[in-house]
């Protein structure tokens, strides 16, 4: 029996991973961690551990002690901060006998800064890059990108912190952050033409399997509704981006389509918020990752069912003497 620790188990990614792993193999022993004791995390794992904030001094000692305590075989990050923290301390983690689901280190570090990532795309003459700028002049950006345009955080996820600029007054409130914090981009396409693709990178410039979803976002920036679609129109982009960055393991590509074709919003070098939806349609990237990182098994392209998904609010009830499901 293998023991897998999933961090950020109180969030949609973390408990999506836990649910997907349990669906694939009920015999797995699942450790869920979260800094929130009163979260839903305990409803999806065999053992719950209260975690300190990842940025707190002593976090790594706590993580290694937890690995030892439960004899953890594999760690999967369910929140972005853990991805970036763990990759800088992989040697220490592995000395405690655990492996971690980690993408190619260069890609992970590059995706941490969207401006650096954009510059790399442009230097490689990638046609899927969205024009971006650090210019702090409203007139220049309005004439270049049109109105409205976006100010987008260089670091962040889930569409958080994006500013829609439709006037000079709005722009002026954020001008001082352009460069160190924000970058400017045009609005590409519309909300009806946004897609999230998952691919399992082979680490050699290719990928083993993929699935494409047309999606609608919630106010929190996560996938709210999704429909399985053909990924054919994205094949060239996916092939070119994998050849350039050589991802390994679960990798998320976000695209929009417009009159100029396919444009890349971003790459998340990890399991993303649509993972439970993907699992329901046959693409269980968490199980693929466990087999790949623990046993070296190359994932086969799964049979994907067609359909659509809608997320909704539900409850877990925790009785004092039992768990109501």
């Amino acid at each position: 029996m293998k023991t897998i620790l999933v961090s950020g188990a109180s969030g949609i990614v973390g408990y999506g991973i836990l649910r997907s792993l349990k669906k694939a193999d009920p015999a797995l022993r699942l450790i869920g961690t979260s800094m929130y004791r009163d979260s839903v995390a305990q409803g999806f794992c065999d053992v719950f551990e209260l975690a300190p904030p990842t940025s707190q001094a002593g976090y790594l000692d706590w993580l290694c002690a937890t690995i030892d305590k439960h004899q953890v075989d594999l760690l999967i990050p369910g929140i972005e901060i853990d991805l970036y923290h763990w990759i800088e301390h992989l040697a220490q983690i592995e000395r405690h006998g655990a492996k971690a689901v980690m993408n190619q280190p260069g890609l992970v570090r590059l995706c941490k800064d969207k401006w650096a990532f954009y510059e790399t795309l442009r230097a490689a003459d990638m046609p899927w890059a969205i024009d971006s700028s650090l210019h702090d002049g409203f007139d220049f950006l309005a004439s270049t990108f049109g109105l409205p345009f976006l100010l987008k955080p260089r670091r962040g996820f889930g569409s958080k912190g994006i500013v829609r600029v439709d006037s000079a007054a709005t722009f002026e409130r954020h001008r001082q952050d352009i460069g160190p914090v924000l970058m400017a981009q045009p609005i590409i396409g519309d909300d009806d033409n946004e897609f999230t693709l998952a691919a399992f990178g082979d680490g050699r410039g290719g990928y083993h399997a993929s699935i494409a979803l047309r999606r609608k976002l919630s106010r929190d920036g996560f996938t709210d509704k999704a429909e399985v679609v053909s990924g054919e129109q994205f094949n060239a982009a996916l092939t070119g981006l994998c050849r350039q960055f050589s991802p390994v393991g679960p990798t998320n590509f976000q695209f929009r389509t417009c009159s100029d074709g396919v444009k890349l919003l971003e790459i998340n070098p990890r399991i993303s918020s649509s993972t439970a939806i993907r699992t329901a349609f046959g693409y269980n990237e968490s199980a693929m990752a466990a087999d790949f990182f623990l046993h070296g098994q190359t994932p086969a392209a799964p049979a994907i069912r067609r359909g659509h998904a809608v997320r909704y609010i539900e409850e877990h009830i925790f009785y004092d003497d039992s768990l109501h499901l």
Side-chain angles (χ1 to χ4, degrees):
M1 179 178 67
K2 294 296 184 181
T3 299
I4 300 178
L5 183 151
V6 178
S7 73
S10 59
I12 194 169
V13 180
Y15 62 71
I17 294 170
L18 289 167
R19 289 170 60 193
S20 298
L21 290 170
K22 187 62 73 174
K23 182 175 183 178
D25 185 357
L28 289 172
R29 183 167 178 259
L30 301 179
I31 314 296
T33 73
S34 173
M35 57 186 288
Y36 303 107
R37 185 186 299 276
D38 61 350
S39 75
V40 75
Q42 298 179 58
F44 297 101
C45 56
D46 299 304
V47 178
F48 174 75
E49 289 284 355
L50 187 66
T54 307
S55 58
Q56 181 175 300
Y59 167 83
L60 194 62
D61 290 337
W62 169 86
L63 180 63
C64 292
T66 302
I67 292 170
D68 293 341
K69 176 182 177 181
H70 296 290
Q71 296 184 311
V72 173
D73 299 294
L74 183 70
L75 290 81
I76 304 179
I79 49 177
E80 195 171 59
I81 189 173
D82 287 349
L83 171 74
Y84 294 129
H85 191 72
W86 292 1
I87 203 163
E88 302 301 333
H89 301 280
L90 278 182
Q92 185 172 344
I93 289 170
E94 291 175 351
R95 282 198 296 271
H96 287 261
K99 296 181 179 179
V101 174
M102 285 284 124
N103 216 307
Q104 204 264 46
L107 177 60
V108 172
R109 295 182 180 112
L110 188 61
C111 289
K112 194 173 183 179
D113 183 342
K114 293 179 175 61
W115 177 256
F117 182 70
Y118 165 72
E119 289 190 307
T120 301
L121 290 175
R122 295 297 293 177
D125 199 26
M126 293 274 175
W128 312 289
I130 297 174
D131 288 341
S132 302
S133 177
L134 297 183
H135 198 287
D136 65 354
F138 173 77
D139 290 340
F140 172 83
L141 294 173
S143 63
T144 302
F145 297 149
L147 286 177
F149 61 87
L150 301 179
L151 296 178
K152 185 175 183 179
R154 291 177 56 167
R155 296 171 177 82
F157 65 97
S159 301
K160 297 181 183 298
I162 292 179
V163 179
R164 185 183 177 98
V165 177
D166 55 9
S167 67
T170 300
F171 180 81
E172 287 301 324
R173 290 197 294 270
H174 302 277
R175 181 199 291 270
Q176 72 277 5
D177 291 328
I178 298 174
V181 178
L182 300 172
M183 55 192 280
Q185 285 186 343
I187 295 175
I188 298 296
D190 57 44
D191 293 346
D192 292 328
N193 289 287
E194 183 159 323
F195 301 84
T196 176
L197 273 72
F200 200 99
D202 63 11
R204 301 184 301 274
Y207 58 96
H208 298 295
S210 66
I211 183 174
L213 301 174
R214 183 194 300 270
R215 71 173 187 173
K216 292 286 185 67
L217 292 179
S218 69
R219 291 182 179 180
D220 293 327
F222 299 121
T223 298
D224 190 42
K225 298 178 181 180
E227 175 191 6
V228 178
V229 297
S230 168
E232 185 175 356
Q233 67 176 317
F234 305 102
N235 283 346
L238 199 55
T239 298
L241 291 165
C242 285
R243 186 182 299 121
Q244 175 69 26
F245 297 112
S246 298
V248 57
T251 310
N252 173 239
F253 301 80
Q254 296 178 17
F255 296 102
R256 275 197 172 191
T257 57
C258 62
S259 58
D260 292 332
V262 170
K263 294 296 181 180
L264 178 69
L265 295 175
E266 63 184 10
I267 295 178
N268 294 311
R270 55 179 172 80
I271 295 174
S272 68
S273 68
S274 300
T275 191
I277 294 175
R278 296 185 192 109
T279 294
F281 288 112
Y283 188 91
N284 193 331
E285 58 195 327
S286 299
M288 292 180 197
D291 289 339
F292 181 82
F293 285 91
L294 283 175
H295 309 297
Q297 294 180 8
T298 299
I304 304 297
R305 298 185 68 175
R306 298 300 287 264
H308 69 278
V310 179
R311 280 189 163 133
Y312 64 98
I313 296 173
E314 63 176 343
E315 298 80 29
H316 257 293
I317 307 301
F318 296 88
Y319 294 121
D320 289 344
D321 58 356
S322 63
L323 171 64
H324 174 77
L325 298 176

